[in-house]
Amino acid sequence: MGVPVDRPPVFGVLAEFSGKDELIDAIGHSKDHGYRHMEAYTPLPLHDVVQAIGHKNRLPLIVLCGGILGATVGFAMQYYLSVEAYPLNVGGRPFNSWPSFIIITFEMTILFAAFSAVLGMLALNGLPRPYHPVFHVDGFEQASRNRFFLLLLSRDPVFDLERATEILESREPLSMHEVPF
Amino acid sequence: MSEIDARLSKIQGRALRIGSVAFVLLIISGMAGPQRAMQSWLLGFLGMCAIGLGSLGLLCLHNLTGGGWGHAIRRVLEAATKTLPILAVFALPLLLWPQGLYEWAHPEVVAADPILQHKAPYLNTGFFRIRTVVYFAIWIGMAALLRSMGSVFERAPSDANGRRLRTISGPGLAVFGLTLTFASFDWGMSLEPHWFSTMYGVIFIVGSVLSTLCFSILVASWLARCEPVSRYFQPGQFHDLGNLLLAFVMLWAYVGFSQYLIIWSANLSEEAPWYIHRLGHGWQGLALFLLLFHFAVPFLLLLSRKTKRRHAVLAGVASVLLVLRFADLTWLVVPAFERTNPILGLILDVLAIAAAGGLWLGAFLSALRSGPLHSVAPPGPAEAQPASQT
Amino acid sequence: MSQATTPPPPDETRTAAIIRPGHSLSSVTDKISKIVLQRHTPRGWFIGLGISFALVMLLLWSLTVLLVKGTGIWGLNIPVGWGFAIINFVWWIGIGHAGTLISAILLLVKQDWRTSINRFAEAMTLFAVACAGIFPLIHVGRPWLAYWLLPYPNTMDMWPQFRSPLLWDVFAVSTYASVSLLFWYVGLIPDLATLRDRAKSRPWKIAYGVLALGWRGAARHWDRYETAYLLLAGLATPLVVSVHTVVSLDFAVGQVPGWHATVFPPYFVAGAVFSGFAMVVTLAIPLRKVYGLEDFITMRHLENMAKVMLATGLIVAYGYAIEIFTAWYGGSEYEMFMVQNRMKGPYATFFWALILCNVAIPQLLWSRKIRNSLLALFLISIVVNVGMWLERFVIVVTSLSRDFLPSSWDTYEPTFWDWSTYIGTIGLFLALLFLFIRFLPMISIAEMRMLVPAEEEPEEEEK
C-alpha cells in the first residue's frame, strides 16, 4: 500500500466494556468525532451493535445466485445426459422425463445455495484468518466470554492515537489497549 | 366501532344479495339440466367447506402452539366455524340426490361393474348420507366446544383453563384430520369411483387450510385498516401469517407433486387415467396456470420480508391465491364430469361459487359481527419470542 | 360490540424454563466449555467408548468379511433383495432427521427452547447419516465401484439413469450429508473460538484455533454469520423433507403392493421425525444426568419433544390407517392380500409389534404425568426406536417376500452378519457421539448466551 514510513505506529486502539449499552454508547461517541473505521467485538450477535456500527449485508443475494446456478446446473446436466449424451429408453418414458428430474434439480439448488451461504459468509468476513492484531491484546479472549470491545482502526483518515485514546477513555472502559500490528 | 360494523353490515347485505340472485339463477338452470347444476354446486360447496373446516383445524392448531399469528385471525376462525351449520345445509343437495353426481349411486351402473360391487359396502347412498351427517355433527359439536372453551379461557386465562383447551384441541386435530380425509374421499375422490390415492385426503386438508389462511389474512388485513381495531394488528403477526402461507404454498406443491410423480412413474392403468384427464383436453393449460400462480409466483413473492410485513401487499397475494384455490378445486373436481358444453359449465361454476360464496360470506359476517373483532388473550402455551437482545 | 381487553398474562417463567435462572454470560461460557476443557473425564465415558469401540471393530470385521465374500453372507434371496441394508439405511436416515428438524425448523419458528439441544441433535444427524450412508454403499455388491453412481465422464461412455429414485438417493443423501456438516460446523465456529480462548495447553489452543478459522466475534462478522445460519436453516428445512421423500420414493415409485402408495412421502417424513425425536430423548435423558446439564436440558425440553413424538406418531398412524383402508377401497387383490399377509402372514408378529410400539404405546404420551416422568419417557422413546425399525422391516420384507407370483415367494431370515453389521453401526454411532461429547461443546455456547437475561452478572473469575 504505502511506504513503510506512512504506516501508523499501531493497528488501532481497543477499549473493553462490560456491557453492550456501554459499547453502543462508545460507538456513537466515536462516530460523533468523525471516526468511521471501527470494529466492535461481542460474545454474541447483537443487532443494535451492528446497527450502530452500520453495515449492509449482501449475503442473501449471493445465496440466491448460488441457488439459481444450482437449479440450472442440476436440470441442464440431467437434460443433456438423458436426452443428448446417453438417451436410454426406460420403460417407455420420454428421454426428457422432467418429473423425474425435479428431485435432483432441487437437491442441487439446495447444495449450491448452502455452499454459497457458507463460503460467501467466510469470504465476506475475510476468514479463515489465523493471524489478526487484536489477538495480541491480553484479555481479548474475554470477547468470547462476557466482554465487549471497540476497536478504532488507525486506517481511519481522522485517526490520531492520542485523540482516539481520549475519546474512548471518556466512555470509562474497563481497560484500554494499543493494538500493535 | 359502529362505523366498522356499518361497513361490515353493508358488505354482508351485498354478499347476501349477490348470493341469493346467483342461487336463484342456479336453481333456474337446474330446471333445465339438474345434473349440470349439481356439478357446479358441488364446486361451490367444497370451496366454502374448505374455509369453514380449515378454520376448525387452524383453531385447534393455534390452541396447541400459540403464536401471534393466531391472535390476529382468531375471531375470523371462530366466526368461520360458526358457519358450519350453513355448510351442512349446503350439503343437502348431495344428500338428497347423490345420483346427480356419483356413478356409484346408480344401481344399474354398479350391477355391471365388479369393482363398484366390491366397494358397495362403503360407496352406497345410505352409508354416504349417514357419513356426511356424522361428519357435520362432529364438526359442529367440536366447533361449539372449541369456541365455548376458548371464551372461558379468554375470560379467565388460567393455566387450568388453558390446559383444558389444549386437552380437547389435540384429539380435536386428530379427529379433524381423519374426518376431513374421509369426507374428501366421499365428496371428491368417489366422483371417479375406480380411482384411488392415499394422498387425496392430505391434499384436500392442505388445500383447505390454505384457503382458510388466505381468507383470514384478507379479513385481518381489512380490519387492520379500520380505526379503533387496527392497533390490535401488528406487522409481526402478518409476517408470521405470511410465513405460514408460504409454508402451506410449499406444502401444497409438495403433496401435489409427490402424488403426480408417484403415479406418473408407476404408470399403472388404474391410477394414470386421473392425470390423463387432467393433463389433456385443455386442462393442461389450467394445470400450468396453477403451477405458476398457485405456486411459483406466490412462493417467490412470499420469500421477501417486505411482502409479509405490509399487510396490504400480503392481502394482495392472499386474494390471488384464494381465487386460485377455486381454480385448483375446479381442476380437481370438474374433469371428472363429462361436460358436453364446457362454456355453459364454466358459467354455472362461477354462478355456483358466487351463490355459495355470497350466502356463506353473509353468514360469516353476521357471525363475525356478533362478537369482538380481535382477540387479545393468547391461548395455549405462550409463544416463543426470539430471545436475542434485539 | 363488546371489547375483549384481557391483557396477555406476563410470562417471565418462560425463559426460565429453558435455562435455569441465575446464569450469566460468563457462567454459561464457563460451565459448558469446562466440560470439554477441564472436567475430569468420568470413568463411564471410557467404559462407554470402550464398548462402542468394540462394536466398531465388529462392524469393521463384518465389512471385511463382506468385501471378501460378497453379499451372499447376508440373508438376502430372490425375491427379498432388500433386507437389513435398506431397513437400516432408512432407519438411520430417519433418526438423523430430528437433528435437522430441531436445529433448522425450530429456529425458523423461533422456538428458543431448541438452543440447548440443537448442537447435540445436529451431531446426532451427522453420525446417523454416516451410519446410514454405509448401507447403500455396501448393498451395491461391489462397493469399490460405488462411484459409478456419480455422473462423471468415463471411458465406458455411460451415464447414470436419472429416472431412478436410487440415483435421486445418491444426490439427496450426499447433499444432506454436506449441508448437515456445513450447518453443524458453522454453528461450531464461535464456540471453537471460545475454546481456543479458554484452552490451557498449547496443542489444544492450536487445534481449536485452526478450526475456529480466526473467528474473533466482530460485529459485522456476527451479522453475516447470523444471516448465513438462518439461510442454512431455511435451506435445510425443505432439504430434510426432500431427503425422506426420496427415501419413500425408493419404495413408492415401484409397483410392489405395500410400497406403491401416494401418501408415502409425508408419512415417511413424519415417521422419520418420530423416530428421530425418540432417539434424541433416548440420548438426552442419560446425558443430562451424567454431565449435570439439568439446567440447560430442562423438563420443558423433554416434554416438548414428547409432544412432537405424539404428533408425528399420530401422523404415522394415519398413514397406516389410510393405507389399509385404501388397500380395500382400491379393490386390487394384490393390495388386499398384502394387508392380509401383513396381519396374518409369516411376519404377522412383527406387524403387531410395530402397531404396539408405534401406535398403541405412544398414546401414553397424552398424559402429562407420563410426559414428565423421565423413566417413562426414556422407555417410550426406546419402544418407538424399536417400532420404527420394525416398520421398515415390515415394509421391506413382507412386501418382497410375497410378491405377485406365488411360485417366487420365499422367506427372509437375517444371518449373523446382518445383525453384526447393524449392531456395528450402532457402535459407530455411539463411539462418534462419545468423542463429540468429550472434545466439542455439546451445547452451543454462543446461542446459550443469547438466552441469558441482559442485565449484567455478578463477576466471578474463570477457574
Side-chain angles (χ1 to χ4, degrees):
Chain A
M1 206 175 108
V3 202
V5 188
D6 290 350
R7 211 164 97 151
V10 292
F11 181 76
V13 184
L14 187 73
E16 177 184 3
F17 297 96
S18 63
K20 69 158 180 165
D21 298 329
E22 291 88 333
L23 174 67
I24 293 169
D25 174 53
I27 293 172
H29 191 65
S30 313
K31 284 211 162 162
D32 291 343
H33 283 82
Y35 280 83
R36 288 292 167 270
H37 292 260
M38 62 179 88
E39 188 56 272
Y41 299 95
T42 56
L44 69 167
L46 292 167
H47 290 284
D48 20 13
V49 173
V50 176
Q51 260 172 8
I53 285 237
H55 168 59
K56 198 170 178 316
N57 198 335
R58 282 173 303 159
L59 194 59
L61 189 69
I62 295 177
V63 176
L64 182 70
C65 294
I68 292 172
L69 181 70
T72 317
V73 168
F75 194 85
M77 170 189 75
Q78 295 178 80
Y79 181 86
Y80 171 74
L81 295 182
S82 312
V83 177
E84 306 288 338
Y86 195 60
L88 190 67
N89 185 336
V90 178
R93 275 143 191 89
F95 294 135
N96 178 20
S97 292
W98 66 266
S100 305
F101 298 166
I102 297 285
I103 304 260
I104 292 180
T105 307
F106 174 82
E107 304 296 343
M108 295 286 275
T109 311
I110 299 283
L111 187 69
F112 276 56
F115 271 95
S116 323
V118 175
L119 297 181
M121 184 268 287
L122 291 177
L124 290 174
N125 283 350
L127 299 176
R129 178 165 181 178
Y131 174 77
H132 191 276
V134 289
F135 289 138
H136 276 312
V137 176
D138 275 340
F140 184 74
E141 70 275 0
Q142 298 295 335
S144 65
R145 186 162 173 260
N146 62 352
R147 291 283 183 260
F148 300 75
F149 290 84
L150 180 63
L151 173 71
L152 295 183
L153 290 158
S154 62
R155 170 157 66 105
D156 202 318
V158 301
F159 185 84
D160 173 76
L161 184 57
E162 276 168 37
R163 273 301 284 147
T165 316
E166 258 172 51
I167 290 168
L168 289 177
E169 227 136 47
S170 71
R171 300 344 273 176
E172 292 168 359
L174 298 175
S175 68
M176 289 283 304
H177 307 270
E178 282 178 18
V179 185
F181 274 94
Chain B
M1 205 54 171
S2 56
E3 194 203 333
I4 305 183
D5 196 46
R7 284 169 70 188
L8 283 174
S9 121
K10 213 167 131 191
I11 299 175
Q12 184 187 349
R14 207 174 295 159
L16 283 175
R17 274 196 299 282
I18 294 175
S20 326
V21 171
F23 190 71
V24 170
L25 287 176
L26 193 68
I27 298 264
I28 294 172
S29 86
M31 312 265 186
Q35 210 157 353
R36 277 196 305 240
M38 270 298 274
Q39 292 171 354
S40 299
W41 180 250
L42 179 70
L43 204 59
F45 165 70
L46 289 178
M48 292 307 128
C49 265
I51 300 178
L53 294 171
S55 304
L56 200 57
L58 274 178
L59 210 53
C60 287
L61 188 69
H62 183 241
N63 287 342
L64 291 172
T65 62
W69 60 272
H71 301 143
I73 60 169
R74 223 180 139 76
R75 290 285 167 258
V76 182
L77 300 179
E78 284 176 348
T81 57
K82 277 192 195 162
T83 64
L84 281 168
I86 305 291
L87 291 169
V89 176
F90 284 4
L92 278 181
L94 275 72
L95 294 183
L96 295 175
W97 195 46
Q99 293 83 354
L101 287 170
Y102 303 106
E103 252 180 81
W104 49 260
H106 297 270
E108 70 281 5
V109 177
V110 176
D113 190 326
I115 290 196
L116 289 189
Q117 281 164 29
H118 168 79
K119 297 186 183 192
Y122 185 80
L123 291 181
N124 61 68
T125 48
F127 194 26
F128 174 80
R129 287 183 181 124
I130 294 173
R131 282 197 309 270
T132 300
V133 170
V134 169
Y135 300 146
F136 272 104
I138 292 175
W139 293 332
I140 291 171
M142 215 168 99
L145 197 63
L146 281 173
R147 280 197 309 269
S148 81
M149 298 193 76
S151 68
V152 166
F153 177 77
E154 278 182 23
R155 259 179 278 126
S158 65
D159 258 10
N161 282 339
R163 199 172 305 142
R164 214 165 295 145
L165 189 59
R166 290 199 294 278
T167 311
I168 56 160
S169 298
L173 207 54
V175 170
F176 162 79
L178 214 55
T179 46
L180 191 51
T181 300
F182 280 97
S184 74
F185 285 0
D186 293 355
W187 300 337
M189 196 165 90
S190 76
L191 287 169
E192 282 140 298
H194 280 224
W195 185 76
F196 56 91
S197 166
T198 40
M199 186 76 113
Y200 196 88
V202 182
I203 292 178
F204 200 83
I205 292 171
V206 170
S208 303
V209 175
L210 197 50
S211 299
T212 310
L213 272 176
C214 293
F215 178 75
S216 40
I217 286 173
L218 279 179
V219 180
S221 153
W222 190 86
L223 289 174
R225 249 171 289 163
C226 298
E227 268 323 311
V229 285
S230 65
R231 68 202 156 92
Y232 290 96
F233 298 91
Q234 281 108 36
Q237 293 175 324
F238 284 102
H239 191 190
D240 287 353
L241 281 171
N243 277 331
L244 210 53
L245 192 65
L246 174 64
F248 270 88
V249 164
M250 287 165 74
L251 203 55
W252 174 85
Y254 168 68
V255 290
F257 177 71
S258 300
Q259 174 177 284
Y260 176 63
L261 181 60
I262 289 171
I263 291 180
W264 180 87
S265 294
N267 205 18
L268 295 174
S269 58
E270 63 258 37
E271 291 178 340
W274 196 83
Y275 277 111
I276 293 172
H277 287 309
R278 278 159 183 79
L279 295 172
H281 316 101
W283 291 111
Q284 68 272 42
L286 182 57
L288 191 66
F289 186 72
L290 283 172
L291 186 66
L292 282 178
F293 293 97
H294 197 304
F295 172 64
V297 172
F299 169 75
L300 291 174
L301 287 176
L302 287 170
L303 278 181
S304 155
R305 225 178 124 73
K306 286 179 194 146
T307 314
K308 288 177 283 197
R309 288 196 89 84
R310 281 179 299 188
H311 64 80
V313 182
L314 183 63
V317 176
S319 55
V320 172
L321 258 177
L322 191 59
V323 174
L324 267 287
R325 285 298 313 135
F326 285 99
D328 180 39
L329 220 47
T330 307
W331 185 77
L332 218 55
V333 168
V334 175
F337 308 129
E338 281 164 20
R339 281 183 167 171
T340 43
N341 189 342
I343 304 288
L344 179 65
L346 182 66
I347 293 171
L348 287 182
D349 288 347
V350 174
L351 213 54
I353 290 171
L359 295 174
W360 181 84
L361 193 62
F364 165 78
L365 287 175
S366 108
L368 186 70
R369 287 171 56 211
S370 69
L373 292 172
H374 54 83
S375 102
V376 216
E383 65 275 15
Q385 262 122 30
S388 59
Q389 293 130 12
T390 45
Chain C
M1 221 171 300
S2 70
Q3 283 266 44
T5 43
T6 340
D11 195 17
E12 67 251 327
T13 51
R14 208 173 38 76
T15 328
I18 327 171
I19 171 172
R20 278 239 191 109
H23 277 294
S24 62
L25 291 179
S26 51
S27 72
V28 163
T29 308
D30 298 344
K31 178 146 190 179
I32 305 175
S33 52
K34 202 156 56 177
I35 295 175
V36 179
L37 294 173
Q38 285 155 337
R39 190 177 158 135
H40 170 73
T41 312
R43 183 176 306 157
W45 185 85
F46 287 105
I47 298 173
L49 183 68
I51 295 173
S52 33
F53 194 71
L55 293 178
V56 176
M57 294 297 107
L58 177 68
L59 175 68
L60 292 179
W61 179 37
S62 314
L63 292 183
T64 311
V65 175
L66 177 79
L67 287 181
V68 173
K69 294 195 178 165
T71 47
I73 63 168
W74 293 342
L76 300 179
N77 55 35
I78 306 293
V80 189
W82 280 10
F84 262 41
I86 301 300
I87 298 166
N88 298 336
F89 164 68
V90 180
W91 189 72
W92 276 121
I93 281 277
I95 285 173
H97 283 358
T100 320
L101 190 92
I102 288 172
S103 50
I105 299 183
L106 296 184
L107 178 72
L108 295 181
V109 298
K110 300 183 227 160
Q111 297 288 321
D112 48 8
W113 58 271
R114 78 183 251 291
T115 301
S116 50
I117 47 171
N118 72 323
R119 164 73 46 73
F120 176 72
E122 281 162 32
M124 195 192 81
T125 296
L126 274 182
F127 305 149
V129 171
C131 292
I134 293 175
F135 285 104
L137 286 184
I138 58 178
H139 193 254
V140 295
R142 285 183 285 172
W144 53 92
L145 295 179
Y147 65 89
W148 282 10
L149 289 163
L150 300 172
Y152 71 102
N154 55 66
T155 49
M156 299 171 285
D157 208 18
M158 280 167 69
W159 294 94
Q161 207 273 88
F162 290 104
R163 273 152 281 189
S164 162
L166 302 182
L167 196 69
W168 306 343
D169 253 345
V170 174
F171 279 82
V173 174
S174 52
T175 301
Y176 187 47
S178 324
V179 174
S180 303
L181 187 66
L182 283 181
F183 199 46
W184 181 70
Y185 182 62
V186 167
L188 266 172
I189 291 174
D191 286 1
L192 289 166
T194 303
L195 292 177
R196 172 199 65 202
D197 295 344
R198 305 273 99 70
K200 294 278 182 281
S201 74
R202 191 153 173 81
W204 281 115
K205 231 177 171 47
I206 292 174
Y208 287 126
V210 167
L211 290 171
L213 304 177
W215 182 263
R216 44 195 186 274
R220 293 185 182 90
H221 290 191
W222 272 123
D223 191 40
R224 295 191 191 101
Y225 172 87
E226 272 213 302
T227 311
Y229 198 66
L230 259 176
L231 286 171
L232 276 181
L235 293 166
T237 305
L239 174 65
V240 69
V241 172
S242 83
V243 171
H244 226 71
T245 297
V246 170
V247 170
S248 79
L249 291 176
D250 290 341
F251 298 97
V253 154
Q255 305 181 350
V256 177
W259 287 11
H260 180 68
T262 47
V263 81
F264 257 38
Y267 139 63
F268 261 54
V269 173
V273 176
F274 186 40
S275 68
F277 268 78
M279 189 54 110
V280 180
V281 171
T282 311
L283 298 174
I285 288 178
L287 209 66
R288 72 197 275 277
K289 185 96 201 126
V290 172
Y291 283 94
L293 293 173
E294 284 94 343
D295 287 9
F296 301 138
I297 304 176
T298 61
M299 277 320 289
R300 166 126 186 266
H301 292 103
L302 296 173
E303 201 188 346
N304 279 349
M305 289 195 275
K307 285 178 182 168
V308 174
M309 270 164 65
L310 179 62
T312 45
L314 285 173
I315 299 179
V316 169
Y318 172 92
Y320 299 154
I322 295 300
E323 225 190 329
I324 292 171
F325 172 76
T326 311
W328 172 82
Y329 178 88
S332 151
E333 54 182 320
Y334 298 109
E335 291 284 340
M336 282 188 278
F337 172 76
M338 176 277 296
V339 169
Q340 237 176 37
N341 181 48
R342 272 189 192 172
M343 291 178 179
K344 298 180 200 155
Y347 299 102
T349 334
F350 291 80
F351 176 78
W352 293 112
L354 115 83
I355 295 291
L356 184 72
C357 292
N358 284 355
V359 181
I361 292 178
Q363 303 311 317
L364 291 172
L365 293 172
W366 286 105
S367 146
R368 229 173 108 77
K369 212 175 270 163
I370 302 251
R371 287 201 303 264
N372 280 296
S373 145
L374 284 179
L375 180 68
L377 214 50
F378 184 66
L379 292 177
I380 291 176
S381 71
I382 289 179
V383 162
V384 170
N385 278 317
V386 173
M388 284 308 293
W389 188 87
L390 287 171
E391 179 200 293
R392 279 67 177 246
F393 182 91
V394 166
I395 290 176
V396 169
V397 174
T398 48
S399 287
L400 283 177
S401 67
R402 296 284 180 277
D403 66 358
F404 296 98
L405 207 60
S407 62
S408 68
W409 290 358
D410 204 345
T411 43
Y412 169 79
E413 263 175 56
T415 63
F416 168 79
W417 298 110
D418 281 310
W419 286 109
S420 66
T421 315
Y422 173 46
I423 293 167
T425 53
I426 295 179
L428 176 64
F429 177 75
L430 292 177
L432 289 169
L433 270 184
F434 277 115
L435 292 174
F436 162 72
I437 290 168
R438 184 64 192 84
F439 296 111
L440 291 169
M442 70 180 117
I443 292 178
S444 169
I445 305 172
E447 289 188 29
M448 285 309 278
R449 290 191 193 119
M450 294 190 233
L451 294 182
V452 171
E455 64 267 21
E456 217 14 61
E457 55 220 54
E459 185 55 33
E460 57 173 294
E461 258 325 289
E462 266 182 87
K463 276 155 250 152

